[in-house]
Amino acid sequence: MADRKPFIGGNWKMNLHADEAAALARALVDGLTDAPAEVAICPAFPYLHQVGEILSQAQSKIQLGAQDVHTDPNGAFTGEVSCSMLRDVGATVVIVGHSERRHVLAESDVLINAKVRAALDAGLDVIFCIGETLQQREAGMTDAVNWGQIGYGLAGVSSDHMARVTIAYEPVWAIGTGMTATPDDAQAAHQAIRAFIRCGMFNDAVADRVRIQYGGSVKPDNAAQLFAQPDIDGGLIGGAALKADDFLAIIAATQTVAASAG
Ligand code: 13P
């Protein structure tokens, strides 16, 4: 994982009601005594404030994240939430371009790019998601799809702003299916993503610094092998982020890797 500090995100998706969200946040605060990785948790919008209060009262290092954001600062956008509203409730990071938004809610690369830039301009960190479908993988298009999504999604983002971007490579076929990419396949995709950041879009400094998370059925029993790959800098976790013990074990797996490497 080079010198990059691993980053573990918990994407709670449309799960957990108020009492469950609060209980999970408290269990994570209590369970995360040292910090082998940076950690963010991303509850659904209605519970951001409540979870944020739990984190800040405990002076936890766990960051509060949102799962999406709108491009405009305010106005007639029924149902949407702005960057400044997220900041108001204590969020410091936002997930943009998740495959469920791309494929289920039909978000385009153009819209995702506008969200990335709006969030960065507003001072939010961004977890920018990319990844191929099974059909695209079987057609040998994994790298082309990832490069295309990066090319569109990060267009116009400065090298300085890239310091606040984490890329989450989440092969669509691995999300919520129990089918994880093998560590070798995941590493190959991550290496190609970093090469594109290096040679296609930015430069050595950005490529060496940018963190690339793996997402898709990461569990306590496969996390360490994935995180041991040189271009995998942590993970974006769905199902296993809903159980404190599993999520804490995944965070701890980054430490196992650091210890065995050094
Ligand atoms: P699962 O860990 O449930 O496969 O979800 C991954 C994901 O989509 C995280 O954003």
mmCIF file of all heavy atoms in Angstrom, residues 225-247:
data_model
loop_
_atom_site.group_PDB
_atom_site.id
_atom_site.type_symbol
_atom_site.label_atom_id
_atom_site.label_comp_id
_atom_site.label_asym_id
_atom_site.label_seq_id
_atom_site.Cartn_x
_atom_site.Cartn_y
_atom_site.Cartn_z
ATOM 1 N N GLN A 225 -6.229 -9.992 2.425
ATOM 2 C CA GLN A 225 -5.599 -10.355 1.138
ATOM 3 C C GLN A 225 -5.752 -9.245 0.112
ATOM 4 O O GLN A 225 -4.844 -8.968 -0.672
ATOM 5 C CB GLN A 225 -6.276 -11.604 0.577
ATOM 6 C CG GLN A 225 -5.727 -12.896 1.089
ATOM 7 C CD GLN A 225 -6.444 -14.037 0.380
ATOM 8 O OE1 GLN A 225 -7.683 -14.088 0.412
ATOM 9 N NE2 GLN A 225 -5.701 -14.899 -0.271
ATOM 10 N N LEU A 226 -6.928 -8.629 0.105
ATOM 11 C CA LEU A 226 -7.142 -7.523 -0.838
ATOM 12 C C LEU A 226 -6.255 -6.333 -0.460
ATOM 13 O O LEU A 226 -5.565 -5.754 -1.316
ATOM 14 C CB LEU A 226 -8.615 -7.103 -0.829
ATOM 15 C CG LEU A 226 -9.575 -8.084 -1.507
ATOM 16 C CD1 LEU A 226 -11.014 -7.866 -1.028
ATOM 17 C CD2 LEU A 226 -9.496 -7.953 -3.030
ATOM 18 N N PHE A 227 -6.247 -5.990 0.813
ATOM 19 C CA PHE A 227 -5.504 -4.795 1.240
ATOM 20 C C PHE A 227 -3.990 -4.998 1.142
ATOM 21 O O PHE A 227 -3.228 -4.029 1.213
ATOM 22 C CB PHE A 227 -5.889 -4.404 2.679
ATOM 23 C CG PHE A 227 -7.353 -4.095 2.877
ATOM 24 C CD1 PHE A 227 -7.923 -4.107 4.140
ATOM 25 C CD2 PHE A 227 -8.178 -3.780 1.790
ATOM 26 C CE1 PHE A 227 -9.271 -3.830 4.337
ATOM 27 C CE2 PHE A 227 -9.533 -3.502 1.969
ATOM 28 C CZ PHE A 227 -10.074 -3.534 3.243
ATOM 29 N N ALA A 228 -3.560 -6.256 1.021
ATOM 30 C CA ALA A 228 -2.118 -6.522 0.891
ATOM 31 C C ALA A 228 -1.595 -6.166 -0.502
ATOM 32 O O ALA A 228 -0.387 -6.107 -0.711
ATOM 33 C CB ALA A 228 -1.844 -7.994 1.181
ATOM 34 N N GLN A 229 -2.495 -5.930 -1.444
ATOM 35 C CA GLN A 229 -2.058 -5.615 -2.816
ATOM 36 C C GLN A 229 -1.486 -4.196 -2.864
ATOM 37 O O GLN A 229 -2.017 -3.284 -2.218
ATOM 38 C CB GLN A 229 -3.239 -5.733 -3.788
ATOM 39 C CG GLN A 229 -3.898 -7.095 -3.785
ATOM 40 C CD GLN A 229 -2.921 -8.206 -4.106
ATOM 41 O OE1 GLN A 229 -2.145 -8.099 -5.050
ATOM 42 N NE2 GLN A 229 -2.934 -9.259 -3.302
ATOM 43 N N PRO A 230 -0.439 -4.000 -3.654
ATOM 44 C CA PRO A 230 0.267 -2.713 -3.592
ATOM 45 C C PRO A 230 -0.554 -1.501 -4.019
ATOM 46 O O PRO A 230 -0.281 -0.395 -3.555
ATOM 47 C CB PRO A 230 1.461 -2.911 -4.538
ATOM 48 C CG PRO A 230 1.176 -4.153 -5.322
ATOM 49 C CD PRO A 230 0.243 -4.981 -4.499
ATOM 50 N N ASP A 231 -1.558 -1.697 -4.871
ATOM 51 C CA ASP A 231 -2.332 -0.544 -5.328
ATOM 52 C C ASP A 231 -3.715 -0.454 -4.688
ATOM 53 O O ASP A 231 -4.539 0.347 -5.126
ATOM 54 C CB ASP A 231 -2.446 -0.549 -6.859
ATOM 55 C CG ASP A 231 -1.110 -0.179 -7.499
ATOM 56 O OD1 ASP A 231 -0.670 0.963 -7.299
ATOM 57 O OD2 ASP A 231 -0.490 -1.050 -8.132
ATOM 58 N N ILE A 232 -3.970 -1.282 -3.697
ATOM 59 C CA ILE A 232 -5.275 -1.245 -3.001
ATOM 60 C C ILE A 232 -5.082 -0.567 -1.644
ATOM 61 O O ILE A 232 -4.335 -1.056 -0.803
ATOM 62 C CB ILE A 232 -5.874 -2.661 -2.849
ATOM 63 C CG1 ILE A 232 -6.091 -3.276 -4.243
ATOM 64 C CG2 ILE A 232 -7.180 -2.601 -2.057
ATOM 65 C CD1 ILE A 232 -6.757 -4.640 -4.246
ATOM 66 N N ASP A 233 -5.751 0.569 -1.489
ATOM 67 C CA ASP A 233 -5.503 1.418 -0.313
ATOM 68 C C ASP A 233 -6.706 1.448 0.617
ATOM 69 O O ASP A 233 -7.146 2.501 1.073
ATOM 70 C CB ASP A 233 -5.192 2.851 -0.771
ATOM 71 C CG ASP A 233 -4.095 2.881 -1.821
ATOM 72 O OD1 ASP A 233 -3.030 2.299 -1.560
ATOM 73 O OD2 ASP A 233 -4.310 3.473 -2.896
ATOM 74 N N GLY A 234 -7.281 0.273 0.866
ATOM 75 C CA GLY A 234 -8.445 0.205 1.735
ATOM 76 C C GLY A 234 -9.675 -0.184 0.939
ATOM 77 O O GLY A 234 -9.575 -0.696 -0.181
ATOM 78 N N GLY A 235 -10.847 0.044 1.519
ATOM 79 C CA GLY A 235 -12.051 -0.439 0.853
ATOM 80 C C GLY A 235 -13.269 0.424 1.129
ATOM 81 O O GLY A 235 -13.303 1.199 2.088
ATOM 82 N N LEU A 236 -14.248 0.283 0.248
ATOM 83 C CA LEU A 236 -15.568 0.876 0.468
ATOM 84 C C LEU A 236 -16.510 -0.304 0.713
ATOM 85 O O LEU A 236 -16.670 -1.172 -0.156
ATOM 86 C CB LEU A 236 -16.000 1.709 -0.739
ATOM 87 C CG LEU A 236 -17.281 2.538 -0.560
ATOM 88 C CD1 LEU A 236 -17.177 3.495 0.624
ATOM 89 C CD2 LEU A 236 -17.579 3.344 -1.837
ATOM 90 N N ILE A 237 -17.085 -0.323 1.891
ATOM 91 C CA ILE A 237 -17.743 -1.527 2.387
ATOM 92 C C ILE A 237 -19.247 -1.291 2.470
ATOM 93 O O ILE A 237 -19.682 -0.273 3.031
ATOM 94 C CB ILE A 237 -17.213 -1.885 3.813
ATOM 95 C CG1 ILE A 237 -15.694 -1.689 3.921
ATOM 96 C CG2 ILE A 237 -17.635 -3.290 4.215
ATOM 97 C CD1 ILE A 237 -14.855 -2.499 2.974
ATOM 98 N N GLY A 238 -20.033 -2.236 1.952
ATOM 99 C CA GLY A 238 -21.484 -2.130 2.030
ATOM 100 C C GLY A 238 -22.032 -3.018 3.135
ATOM 101 O O GLY A 238 -22.068 -2.649 4.307
ATOM 102 N N GLY A 239 -22.422 -4.235 2.777
ATOM 103 C CA GLY A 239 -23.080 -5.134 3.724
ATOM 104 C C GLY A 239 -22.318 -5.307 5.035
ATOM 105 O O GLY A 239 -22.914 -5.255 6.126
ATOM 106 N N ALA A 240 -21.018 -5.509 4.939
ATOM 107 C CA ALA A 240 -20.232 -5.774 6.157
ATOM 108 C C ALA A 240 -20.029 -4.517 6.998
ATOM 109 O O ALA A 240 -19.524 -4.600 8.120
ATOM 110 C CB ALA A 240 -18.881 -6.403 5.790
ATOM 111 N N ALA A 241 -20.416 -3.354 6.467
ATOM 112 C CA ALA A 241 -20.315 -2.121 7.264
ATOM 113 C C ALA A 241 -21.510 -1.955 8.187
ATOM 114 O O ALA A 241 -21.541 -1.047 9.015
ATOM 115 C CB ALA A 241 -20.204 -0.907 6.341
ATOM 116 N N LEU A 242 -22.517 -2.831 8.040
ATOM 117 C CA LEU A 242 -23.729 -2.715 8.861
ATOM 118 C C LEU A 242 -23.603 -3.472 10.172
ATOM 119 O O LEU A 242 -24.492 -3.410 11.012
ATOM 120 C CB LEU A 242 -24.943 -3.235 8.077
ATOM 121 C CG LEU A 242 -25.218 -2.527 6.741
ATOM 122 C CD1 LEU A 242 -26.389 -3.191 6.017
ATOM 123 C CD2 LEU A 242 -25.496 -1.041 6.964
ATOM 124 N N LYS A 243 -22.493 -4.214 10.309
ATOM 125 C CA LYS A 243 -22.269 -4.958 11.561
ATOM 126 C C LYS A 243 -20.975 -4.468 12.163
ATOM 127 O O LYS A 243 -19.906 -4.560 11.520
ATOM 128 C CB LYS A 243 -22.155 -6.460 11.267
ATOM 129 C CG LYS A 243 -23.432 -7.055 10.734
ATOM 130 C CD LYS A 243 -23.333 -8.580 10.696
ATOM 131 C CE LYS A 243 -24.369 -9.156 9.763
ATOM 132 N NZ LYS A 243 -23.811 -9.901 8.640
ATOM 133 N N ALA A 244 -21.041 -3.961 13.392
ATOM 134 C CA ALA A 244 -19.858 -3.336 13.996
ATOM 135 C C ALA A 244 -18.668 -4.293 14.008
ATOM 136 O O ALA A 244 -17.552 -3.905 13.641
ATOM 137 C CB ALA A 244 -20.190 -2.863 15.408
ATOM 138 N N ASP A 245 -18.889 -5.531 14.398
ATOM 139 C CA ASP A 245 -17.751 -6.458 14.519
ATOM 140 C C ASP A 245 -17.085 -6.691 13.174
ATOM 141 O O ASP A 245 -15.858 -6.729 13.071
ATOM 142 C CB ASP A 245 -18.219 -7.808 15.081
ATOM 143 C CG ASP A 245 -18.573 -7.695 16.560
ATOM 144 O OD1 ASP A 245 -18.266 -6.639 17.156
ATOM 145 O OD2 ASP A 245 -19.154 -8.652 17.096
ATOM 146 N N ASP A 246 -17.899 -6.845 12.136
ATOM 147 C CA ASP A 246 -17.337 -7.089 10.809
ATOM 148 C C ASP A 246 -16.572 -5.862 10.313
ATOM 149 O O ASP A 246 -15.470 -5.966 9.772
ATOM 150 C CB ASP A 246 -18.451 -7.419 9.793
ATOM 151 C CG ASP A 246 -18.974 -8.834 9.977
ATOM 152 O OD1 ASP A 246 -18.442 -9.556 10.854
ATOM 153 O OD2 ASP A 246 -19.918 -9.216 9.259
ATOM 154 N N PHE A 247 -17.176 -4.701 10.500
ATOM 155 C CA PHE A 247 -16.534 -3.479 9.997
ATOM 156 C C PHE A 247 -15.227 -3.231 10.752
ATOM 157 O O PHE A 247 -14.208 -2.891 10.148
ATOM 158 C CB PHE A 247 -17.495 -2.297 10.148
ATOM 159 C CG PHE A 247 -17.082 -1.058 9.398
ATOM 160 C CD1 PHE A 247 -16.870 -1.086 8.013
ATOM 161 C CD2 PHE A 247 -16.897 0.151 10.052
ATOM 162 C CE1 PHE A 247 -16.497 0.073 7.314
ATOM 163 C CE2 PHE A 247 -16.532 1.306 9.370
ATOM 164 C CZ PHE A 247 -16.329 1.266 7.994
#
